[in-house]
Amino acid sequence: MKALKIDHIGVAVKSAEEASKIFKSVLGLQTEEEILEDRKLKVVMVKIGESRVELLEDLDENGTISKFIEKRGEGLHHMALEVDDVYKSVEKLKAEGYRILSDPAPGAGGTIVAFVHPKDVHGVLLELVERRKNDE
Ligand code: ZN
């Protein structure tokens, strides 16, 4: 297992369209919208060089992003690292005693993602992202 770079920073927002304005109009960045049906999320990816900001809007008022905003307001939600193999990474983390919140599953843009419990990462919800070789 090897982490390659910061893939993106996830931000919980009430409206992804509203939140994307500063990035598009003011900072001149490109954005891409995607609906994740199985996770009931609207995602706007803001491209910044090799990294991205992921604006997350919940389409379910009882979903995890809705609950996060209810509790703490809008703001930084998670940090995502690109890894070479998400399945092996999860296996290794589990063997070391880290708690995995969700096993590898499809994420935005054809990726496979898994989440590590924030209490095991010093208060930061950690997402592991693997890009499939044939993407982009
Ligand atoms: Zn993410």
Side-chain angles (χ1 to χ4, degrees):
M1 152 192 186
K2 196 177 171 200
L4 307 169
K5 67 172 193 195
I6 292 179
D7 187 85
H8 64 267
I9 303 290
V11 182
V13 299
K14 290 177 186 163
S15 161
E17 196 189 323
E18 189 63 34
S20 69
K21 280 182 188 165
I22 181 171
F23 297 103
K24 272 200 281 200
S25 321
V26 185
L27 299 170
L29 296 164
Q30 285 196 329
T31 61
E32 210 168 88
E33 189 182 302
E34 186 180 350
I35 303 288
L36 299 184
E37 297 286 354
D38 32 339
R39 292 168 67 197
K40 291 189 181 135
L41 289 174
K42 185 199 259 188
V43 175
V44 171
M45 280 290 189
V46 183
K47 291 186 179 177
I48 306 170
E50 285 218 326
S51 275
R52 294 166 305 160
V53 171
E54 179 183 58
L55 304 170
L56 297 155
E57 174 187 339
D58 217 324
L59 301 174
D60 175 0
E61 58 181 23
N62 296 311
T64 54
I65 297 297
S66 294
K67 282 183 186 154
F68 177 93
I69 291 174
E70 207 172 280
K71 237 166 115 180
R72 309 186 215 183
E74 294 182 301
L76 283 182
H77 181 260
H78 65 271
M79 173 173 73
L81 301 182
E82 183 182 354
V83 294
D84 54 357
D85 187 322
V86 73
Y87 293 94
K88 279 188 184 153
S89 302
V90 163
E91 219 170 87
K92 186 169 181 194
L93 284 161
K94 279 183 177 172
E96 302 271 340
Y98 292 94
R99 285 166 288 179
I100 303 300
L101 281 180
S102 68
D103 281 316
T111 57
I112 309 285
V113 304
F115 287 90
V116 186
H117 201 296
K119 286 201 171 138
D120 293 348
V121 198
H122 309 273
V124 178
L125 174 60
L126 178 64
E127 178 181 2
L128 302 174
V129 181
E130 180 186 338
R131 308 198 151 272
R132 296 271 116 167
K133 308 285 177 274
N134 298 332
D135 277 1
E136 288 174 46

